[in-house]
Amino acid sequence: MKPKYMLDTNICIYLMKWQPPSVRKKFETCFVGDVVISAITLAELEYGITCSAENQLANQAALDDLLQDIPVAAFDLQAARAYGPVRWATREHSRDALHKLIAAHAIALNTTLLTNNEADFRMFPGLTVENWVDN
């Protein structure tokens, strides 16, 4: 089954914390295989856990629970090839290197990127972005 959605880091954190309820509610309507996490996003989450000091064990357990439901998509040849055009199109924006990698990965998989940082991803050509957070 081809995934429909790729989760940005902030959406993963919301699911790990079960907040806000709107994200969990929409996630629960998805079928197994509809949602993936980029290996790049997983790397960001692992870094955040490493930095979380006294909450490290609880945060690692929450991430491990999340990974029971959501597979991690490897950043493969197709994603690497999608990265070139993404980076070229946004070359004036030198920061946000991880956003460019995540955007390229979502484009390569032809998935919609779920994020609460829509503005950070709107500049990437060919990327579809959706926000499940009720603001």
Side-chain angles (χ1 to χ4, degrees), residues 41-127:
T41 298
L42 178 57
E44 282 192 298
L45 291 166
E46 291 290 354
Y47 174 71
I49 288 169
T50 300
C51 297
S52 65
E54 69 277 351
N55 295 325
Q56 191 171 0
L57 289 176
N59 290 341
Q60 188 68 60
L63 177 58
D64 291 345
D65 286 345
L66 185 67
L67 295 176
Q68 294 293 316
D69 295 327
I70 305 171
V72 176
F75 194 89
D76 60 7
L77 175 65
Q78 197 174 4
R81 288 193 170 149
Y83 176 73
V86 164
R87 185 165 177 189
W88 176 254
T90 59
R91 63 193 172 279
E92 289 82 28
H93 303 277
S94 59
R95 55 179 271 253
D96 303 328
L98 293 178
H99 287 164
K100 291 177 183 184
L101 289 166
I102 293 167
H105 202 177
I107 291 166
L109 293 177
N110 196 29
T111 60
T112 297
L113 182 68
L114 300 178
T115 184
N116 193 29
N117 293 333
E118 295 168 275
D120 291 348
F121 288 96
R122 289 278 181 220
M123 71 180 97
F124 300 116
L127 179 64

Side-chain angles (χ1 to χ4, degrees), residues 6-20 23-24 27 35 37 41 45 66 70 113-117 130-133:
M6 179 176 282
L7 304 182
D8 187 22
T9 308
N10 56 30
I11 300 298
C12 292
I13 292 168
Y14 297 154
L15 288 170
M16 290 164 58
K17 293 182 176 188
W18 292 74
Q19 293 295 328
V23 174
R24 175 62 60 178
F27 175 71
V35 179
I37 297 171
T41 298
L45 291 166
L66 185 67
I70 305 171
L113 182 68
L114 300 178
T115 184
N116 193 29
N117 293 333
E130 203 172 294
N131 189 347
W132 284 359
V133 178

